[in-house]
Amino acid sequence: MGELNRGQTQAVNHFKGPCLTLAGPGSGKTLVITLRTKALIEKYRVNPADILVVTFTKAAAAEMRERFARLMGQKLPVTFGTFHAVFFSVLKHAYHYTAENIVREEHKFMLMRDMVRKFHLDYEDENEFIGALLGEISMVKNLRMDIAHYYSKNCPEDTFRRIYMQYQKALHGQRLIDFDDMLVYTYELFSQRKDILALWQKRYPFILVDEYQDINQLQYEIIKMMALPGNNLFAVGDDDQSIYRFRGAAPGIMQMFAKDYKDAAHILLDVNYRCASDIVEKSGRVISHNKNRFAKKVIFARKGEQAVLVKNFKNQREQNLAVIAGIRKYISEGGSYEDIAVLFRTNTQPRLLMEQLLEYNIPFKTRDRIPSLYDHWIAEDIFSYIRIAMGSRERADFLRIMNRPKRYIGRDSLEEKTVAFDVWADYYAKNEQEWIAERIDKLAYDCKMLSNMAPYAAINYIRRGIGYDDYLKEYAAYRQIREEELVEILEELMAAAKEYPDYASWQAHIAEYNREIEEQSARAMKEEERVSLSTFHSAKGLEYDEVYIVDVNEKIMPYKKAVLEEDIEEERRMFYVGMTRARERLYLYSADIINNHEMEPSRFLREMAESGK
């Protein structure tokens, strides 16, 4: 980057008092933080041990520590750590906790699994359900909400409250804390014990916070207490890249800084050294449509016209083939797979793309856990119907689908390992329940019908002829989740099955796909050069020469759940983060048909052509 620009120089030379530094994408914020730490020590004679640099991930803290050591030519006792590491140090001194007191993820799941089973809750995917409940518990703690006024999205309110209380009681009983407790307990300790707070204020009179836009209210309150009385708090972040509202982060917290510290210095790092000028200009147009933000104009340091290519395709398959063609062209011209990323809004989007990348032998790695479509419980239900249609008489297949939709069949009617339809129906006929026997006969007829169908037609028949969609509607109402989310799995499964003429060829493809995914995962541990597949969330902080953003359609970007203006603004920030990962070229692709649904291009594409209000 050469010499520092005006904003960077101001930030590096800031000494005492609060300072809010707005750092746009590619503006050199890590360099500024390390150079300011150096200036505090060398120019202002601050003891290195008095400096605390806080960031969000272990990897970011380690990178900052290493960069600083290289810059200084030696290791100095500056503390570089995550919020959780710093707050755990506080609790360690106050309560003599050790690493053994931090609950392991698998132990958390075990505790929750026992509780969920005790309450006899109805769910299909246990891990998914427990993960959702733990997410709600985390949110309640981080927002310091009164549990009496919290309404769960996953189970009845009174049940959630009892689960929450029992989970906390179990942790207390075993002297364990989770990562959210680290924040809650530190806040409570500092609020109640001013003597302990004073020790930490004296310990770190200078505090620097990286990625400030990602902090939640609780983290902000704790850091604010620690920074007293000198308020030498140096906050670096970009409200336009605040994309963790589900964890309690919000651009409003950055704006709160300006209100809480009226004498704070305000510095703007407004030069983007990463992206070509066309990318800087067009991403700036998109984000300027947000109202809840600090007004700023980011300028470019690198010329690069026509760096953004927008294209629409008939369907996802054609869109993905264009991505593949672009990747192959880049590699043929001497580029590296490592310099390419394909970005998307949700972690289920790349499933079809992954299948197509495998077909063309393009190596890839996923930065998120991509759940397999074929492992979803809805897909397992469909496969059970198909296996029965193809002659399976395994009890497990029948138990899985006998009440999907509701037929009021009891498990005690299936005691044998194999099932015969006539014997099964006779069981109910003898018990004077002819109406259930008739439903078993209807199931037998439906399975016979399925046996002559192609996979696509079979799924359609299971949904509408047998009534599986009705079952999903009832299940969604009971679990208080969106029916649309479940139906999407069926739509995606139908799209995946469409080109296979029979069950055998489809199942062979699925087996081959699963085998190749396992091999890809094994090779990814050894080979460096691979295309990155990533959500916007996981791509934050990274950069690539070429970036493809796929499915740039309404209901995906912005996501269909985004209804309120604040939701749309968060979606726009995510898209902005995605756009600004690209150094040289940015490809924005949309499709007319996705999972059998007609789609419109995203409003964000229109906004690129106009300025904000």
Side-chain angles (χ1 to χ4, degrees):
M1 279 171 55
E3 290 186 8
L4 299 179
N5 63 41
R6 185 174 54 83
Q8 291 171 333
T9 303
Q10 281 181 289
V12 167
N13 290 318
H14 177 79
F15 180 30
K16 287 190 170 180
C19 176
L20 181 63
T21 299
L22 295 172
S27 60
K29 69 179 177 62
T30 305
L31 177 71
V32 163
I33 291 170
T34 51
L35 285 178
R36 178 178 185 252
T37 307
K38 181 182 185 217
L40 285 175
I41 297 163
E42 292 185 347
K43 183 176 177 181
Y44 300 114
R45 302 299 174 195
V46 173
N47 183 343
D50 289 350
I51 303 170
L52 170 63
V53 181
V54 191
T55 189
F56 274 81
T57 65
K58 276 186 185 176
E63 184 196 347
M64 198 96 72
R65 190 183 300 113
E66 287 164 21
R67 284 183 70 162
F68 181 70
R70 284 197 304 272
L71 181 69
M72 302 302 289
Q74 61 177 316
K75 287 189 177 178
L76 292 172
V78 174
T79 300
F80 292 90
T82 63
F83 278 102
H84 289 105
V86 172
F87 297 158
F88 186 64
S89 294
V90 172
L91 300 177
K92 196 159 60 173
H93 283 83
Y95 303 127
H96 308 292
Y97 283 137
T98 69
E100 295 297 312
N101 296 109
I102 303 172
V103 65
R104 298 187 312 277
E105 282 300 306
E106 59 268 27
H107 189 52
K108 266 168 65 172
F109 263 79
M110 185 193 76
L111 288 173
M112 289 297 290
R113 190 174 290 117
D114 291 345
M115 276 177 241
V116 162
R117 288 176 181 175
K118 191 170 81 174
F119 282 101
H120 304 294
L121 295 168
D122 189 18
Y123 50 81
E124 291 300 337
D125 187 311
E126 187 174 62
N127 286 338
E128 185 183 276
F129 182 63
I130 290 171
L133 286 179
L134 284 170
E136 289 196 273
I137 289 171
S138 175
M139 186 169 65
V140 166
K141 290 182 181 183
N142 275 283
L143 296 176
R144 297 183 60 240
M145 297 174 74
D146 183 344
I147 188 69
H149 300 143
Y150 180 73
Y151 297 93
S152 172
K153 296 175 184 173
N154 289 284
C155 60
E157 286 77 35
D158 58 332
T159 305
F160 176 79
R161 287 165 198 151
R162 289 164 70 192
I163 288 172
Y164 179 92
M165 300 305 289
Q166 288 191 24
Y167 170 72
Q168 283 304 100
K169 188 178 177 183
L171 291 184
H172 285 308
Q174 298 172 46
R175 204 165 187 265
L176 294 172
I177 59 172
D178 61 23
F179 282 101
D180 303 307
D181 290 331
M182 288 182 197
L183 274 61
V184 174
Y185 292 178
T186 303
Y187 176 81
E188 289 173 351
L189 178 70
F190 283 170
S191 300
Q192 294 160 16
R193 293 288 303 272
K194 300 303 177 188
D195 55 332
I196 293 175
L197 172 60
L199 290 173
W200 288 95
Q201 289 168 338
K202 191 176 178 183
R203 174 80 175 84
Y204 294 122
F206 288 88
I207 301 174
L208 297 84
V209 182
D210 185 25
E211 301 287 8
Y212 194 74
Q213 76 280 347
D214 293 339
I215 74 170
N216 63 34
Q217 189 66 38
L218 196 51
Q219 289 163 333
Y220 175 63
E221 295 296 339
I222 297 168
I223 287 293
K224 202 164 66 168
M225 283 192 271
M226 285 181 72
L228 289 167
N231 288 332
N232 298 318
L233 178 57
F234 186 80
V236 184
D238 181 8
D239 56 326
D240 289 335
Q241 295 185 73
S242 177
I243 60 171
Y244 293 107
R245 198 150 64 91
F246 64 92
R247 290 200 313 227
I253 295 175
M254 286 193 83
Q255 290 154 12
M256 203 179 296
F257 186 100
K259 291 173 187 169
D260 288 345
Y261 300 105
K262 293 192 167 47
D263 60 337
H266 287 255
I267 298 168
L268 175 61
L269 304 184
D270 59 353
V271 183
N272 183 325
Y273 293 92
R274 175 193 303 155
C275 309
S277 56
D278 192 30
I279 298 168
V280 174
E281 185 187 332
K282 290 191 164 114
S283 62
R285 284 185 198 164
V286 172
I287 200 61
S288 70
H289 283 72
N290 273 5
K291 293 172 186 154
N292 185 21
R293 66 189 289 261
F294 288 106
K296 64 184 84 71
K297 171 102 174 131
V298 177
I299 56 179
F300 56 84
R302 296 174 51 237
K303 284 288 283 180
E305 295 175 2
Q306 297 182 322
V308 181
L309 178 72
V310 180
K311 202 163 183 187
N312 181 251
F313 298 88
K314 263 198 319 188
N315 53 47
Q316 260 183 320
R317 193 168 287 278
E318 283 193 13
Q319 170 192 253
N320 294 344
L321 286 173
V323 172
I324 289 165
I327 292 170
R328 295 176 80 185
K329 180 174 183 291
Y330 182 76
I331 298 304
S332 71
E333 292 170 353
S336 164
Y337 287 120
E338 202 67 14
D339 291 328
I340 305 172
V342 184
L343 306 184
F344 31 87
R345 170 63 180 84
T346 70
N347 68 341
T348 59
Q349 279 173 261
R351 291 195 281 221
L352 176 60
L353 174 62
M354 286 163 64
E355 293 195 30
Q356 290 177 263
L357 289 171
L358 288 172
E359 286 174 29
Y360 284 86
N361 293 314
I362 292 175
F364 62 86
K365 60 187 173 191
T366 57
R367 299 195 63 85
D368 308 80
R369 188 186 75 81
I370 310 296
S372 172
L373 172 66
Y374 306 120
D375 289 341
H376 196 282
W377 62 266
I378 289 176
E380 290 289 351
D381 287 354
I382 299 300
F383 294 153
S384 284
Y385 268 112
I386 288 172
R387 280 193 293 268
I388 293 169
M390 298 312 292
S392 168
R393 292 300 175 259
E394 290 292 317
R395 178 174 179 263
D397 282 326
F398 285 85
L399 284 173
R400 185 167 193 100
I401 56 87
M402 65 186 187
N403 285 312
R404 299 179 184 180
K406 189 71 83 178
R407 298 182 179 93
Y408 300 95
I409 301 172
R411 290 178 69 89
D412 55 356
S413 67
L414 290 174
E415 291 184 344
E416 302 297 322
K417 281 189 177 180
T418 56
V419 179
F421 275 111
D422 56 346
V423 174
W424 195 18
D426 197 43
Y427 171 89
Y428 282 100
K430 285 178 181 175
N431 286 290
E432 298 182 355
Q433 290 180 295
E434 286 286 350
W435 61 281
I436 296 181
E438 286 172 11
R439 292 183 181 200
I440 291 171
D441 289 339
K442 173 71 166 59
L443 176 59
Y445 169 80
D446 286 333
C447 289
K448 188 175 180 183
M449 292 289 291
L450 289 173
S451 66
N452 298 312
M453 294 180 186
Y456 180 87
I459 299 170
N460 195 47
Y461 185 81
I462 292 166
R463 290 180 64 184
R464 297 174 175 97
I466 294 177
Y468 190 80
D469 276 14
D470 296 333
Y471 159 70
L472 287 186
K473 186 174 185 176
E474 282 181 28
Y475 178 75
Y478 173 79
R479 275 285 316 280
Q480 301 176 47
I481 55 179
R482 289 162 62 101
E483 177 191 350
E484 196 179 329
E485 288 178 21
L486 303 178
V487 171
E488 266 181 9
I489 299 295
L490 287 169
E491 296 287 2
E492 196 176 343
L493 202 61
M494 286 179 74
K498 200 164 191 175
E499 62 182 279
Y500 297 96
D502 51 54
Y503 300 133
S505 58
W506 191 34
Q507 291 302 315
H509 163 76
I510 292 169
E512 178 66 12
Y513 169 76
N514 288 334
R515 186 187 64 76
E516 289 193 13
I517 286 292
E518 280 183 29
E519 285 183 10
Q520 279 275 5
S521 299
R523 287 199 299 268
M525 304 296 288
K526 302 171 189 172
E527 297 174 22
E528 279 299 312
E529 288 200 10
R530 315 183 82 70
V531 173
S532 287
L533 308 184
S534 175
T535 58
F536 293 145
H537 285 108
S538 294
K540 191 166 169 290
L542 303 174
E543 54 188 76
Y544 305 88
D545 281 352
E546 300 223 333
V547 169
Y548 293 85
I549 301 182
V550 294
D551 304 338
V552 187
N553 291 86
E554 286 290 308
K555 298 188 177 179
I556 298 175
M557 300 174 201
Y559 196 51
K560 58 186 168 232
K561 287 185 185 177
V563 178
L564 303 173
E565 187 59 34
E566 59 188 14
D567 299 327
I568 299 294
E569 293 211 349
E570 174 103 343
E571 294 290 318
R572 194 175 281 113
R573 289 192 294 272
M574 272 187 258
F575 191 65
Y576 176 72
V577 165
M579 292 180 78
T580 54
R581 298 312 91 200
R583 288 189 288 251
E584 306 292 342
R585 295 277 284 176
L586 173 64
Y587 301 86
L588 303 175
Y589 288 173
S590 58
D592 290 332
I593 305 286
I594 295 179
N595 294 334
N596 299 318
H597 290 297
E598 288 186 12
M599 306 288 278
E600 289 180 24
S602 169
R603 70 191 72 178
F604 300 152
L605 297 177
R606 296 194 298 275
E607 289 171 359
M608 282 199 319
E610 55 192 54
S611 60
K613 296 171 185 175

